[in-house]
Amino acid sequence: MTDITIWLDEYHKGSRFGLNGKLLIRKSSKYQEIIVIENDYYGKALMLDGCWMTSLKDEKYYHECLVHPALSSIEEKSNVLIIGGGDGGTARECLKYSKIAKIDLVEIDEEVIKVSKNFLQEIGGEAWNDKRLKIYINDGVKWVEKTRDNFYDVIFIDCSDPKGFSNLLFSDSFYKECKRILTPKGILATQSESPESFRNIHISILKNLKKIFRASETMYSFVPIYPSGIWSWTFASKEKLYLSKPNSKDSLEIEKECEIWNLNFQNAAFKMMPNKIVKELNS
Ligand code: SPD
């Protein structure tokens, strides 16, 4: 821990998205530079290789949106895979469901988990001590390749933006492998970048998932510290999905434990696709 106060910016297409705060740790792992600072408003915030990942103030906008549309809508959810998710926020949200028997969390960078446990304990919280959570330090792409067919009920891809080692997590071949290891009614849930600041990759994720799976649906909401603030999550399945008309018995109980997500929020968020994206997908 240091007494140094700095401005830390994510640079994106000639813009800067920055927080001012006390530098808690800055280190380089085998894969990336890891920084945690503490800002007066957003609280502690994690940056990986120049890219904001999460902050205590806004992490629920991200993690609740990634997890609950999938888990609240699927009956069988005993066996879950998280790829990435080293800060523990996705696992924490999953563990709200008593039907979950096991979560395999596959994170490539052990240092992200160590830093999160030491400096961002509020995010993972008790999830780190839950016996249902199994942690594997491994490459998510290789993990999926070696998994047998029809194995996971839900797969969450909780990754960084597509650059370097995370590039493959946005590829056709990876999505096809995810489809192979999902149960027949299983759901793939991935963060699908911003329709504004990452428009091309956003469109390409949506087109690829639509091509590979029988059904895919996208929701939009906000993650204030990410470039442009507007963000998206996409859900895909071999069976039809009804995420824009959510209705589940689990939901009412889970809603009580959420800060952002509820059925009304989900209902609206799946209808928020900007028209320019609609047009581009239809073109
Ligand atoms: N531009 C940032 C995209 C990062 C998405 N993953 C965040 C990880 C939070 N668990």
Side-chain angles (χ1 to χ4, degrees):
M1 229 177 272
T2 73
D3 281 327
I4 304 166
T5 296
I6 55 167
W7 267 104
L8 196 56
D9 294 320
E10 174 169 347
Y11 290 79
H12 186 76
K13 297 181 179 167
S15 310
R16 302 195 311 195
F17 300 86
L19 295 178
N20 176 252
K22 195 157 141 193
L23 179 65
L24 300 185
I25 185 167
R26 171 178 239 150
K27 69 188 301 188
S28 287
S29 72
K30 195 171 139 196
Y31 296 97
Q32 55 206 336
E33 184 185 46
I34 303 171
I35 305 177
V36 179
I37 67 166
E38 183 155 21
N39 170 269
D40 281 350
Y41 184 75
Y42 284 98
K44 288 179 275 181
L46 172 69
M47 177 179 264
L48 298 180
D49 257 359
C51 176
W52 289 116
M53 287 295 120
T54 199
S55 77
L56 294 192
K57 178 84 179 174
D58 77 348
E59 57 97 3
K60 294 200 170 69
Y61 274 103
Y62 177 91
H63 293 119
E64 291 184 10
C65 288
L66 178 65
V67 170
H68 298 304
L71 287 184
S72 69
S73 68
I74 190 168
E75 193 54 40
E76 178 54 59
K77 48 191 154 223
S78 52
N79 193 19
V80 167
L81 172 64
I82 300 173
I83 294 170
D87 54 50
T90 296
R92 178 202 67 215
E93 290 304 314
C94 290
L95 289 166
K96 289 178 175 167
Y97 294 80
S98 56
K99 284 184 187 164
I100 289 188
K102 177 174 73 83
I103 300 173
D104 292 335
L105 187 153
V106 180
E107 165 64 59
I108 198 166
D109 192 347
E110 185 172 21
E111 288 305 320
V112 173
I113 296 184
K114 285 188 184 159
V115 166
S116 300
K117 284 183 174 176
N118 284 332
F119 293 91
L120 300 160
Q121 177 59 28
E122 298 88 336
I123 295 183
E126 278 312 300
W128 295 123
N129 304 320
D130 195 304
K131 298 257 180 318
R132 293 174 289 168
L133 180 64
K134 313 282 174 214
I135 295 169
Y136 300 92
I137 305 305
N138 216 317
D139 178 338
V141 174
K142 295 200 174 108
W143 183 273
V144 166
E145 279 169 8
K146 73 173 180 54
T147 299
R148 71 164 168 80
D149 294 2
N150 301 332
F151 189 67
Y152 288 109
D153 300 304
V154 183
I155 301 173
F156 293 103
I157 306 175
D158 182 9
C159 61
S160 313
D161 300 328
K163 65 174 184 192
F165 62 85
S166 61
N167 248 326
L168 280 177
L169 299 175
F170 295 85
S171 66
D172 264 29
S173 54
F174 177 68
Y175 291 147
K176 283 181 186 153
E177 282 294 279
C178 287
K179 181 179 174 188
R180 180 184 63 73
I181 67 169
L182 273 176
T183 53
K185 293 187 178 198
I187 299 180
L188 172 73
T190 183
Q191 71 95 351
S192 45
E193 301 289 324
S194 168
E196 194 50 49
S197 51
F198 290 89
R199 179 176 169 162
N200 292 344
I201 179 68
H202 174 66
I203 299 271
S204 130
I205 295 167
L206 271 53
K207 282 191 169 167
N208 287 341
L209 289 173
K210 197 176 172 168
K211 191 172 68 192
I212 293 165
F213 286 84
R214 177 168 177 223
S216 65
E217 295 188 21
T218 300
M219 68 177 281
Y220 295 86
S221 182
F222 320 96
V223 184
I225 65 166
Y226 290 174
S228 82
I230 180 165
W231 213 256
S232 76
W233 297 262
T234 299
F235 303 81
S237 176
K238 294 181 248 189
E239 292 231 327
K240 237 174 151 354
L241 289 166
Y242 298 93
L243 300 173
S244 53
K245 296 188 190 82
N247 170 26
S248 126
K249 283 182 243 103
D250 280 344
S251 310
L252 295 176
E253 280 312 300
I254 300 294
E255 275 185 17
K256 290 182 197 152
E257 295 181 56
C258 287
E259 228 172 71
I260 308 298
W261 178 87
N262 62 32
L263 285 185
N264 280 336
F265 178 90
Q266 177 171 330
N267 202 308
F270 275 93
K271 298 182 178 73
M272 290 274 290
M273 184 176 279
N275 207 26
K276 60 184 177 183
I277 304 292
V278 176
K279 287 182 191 164
E280 207 157 332
L281 288 176
N282 291 335
S283 68

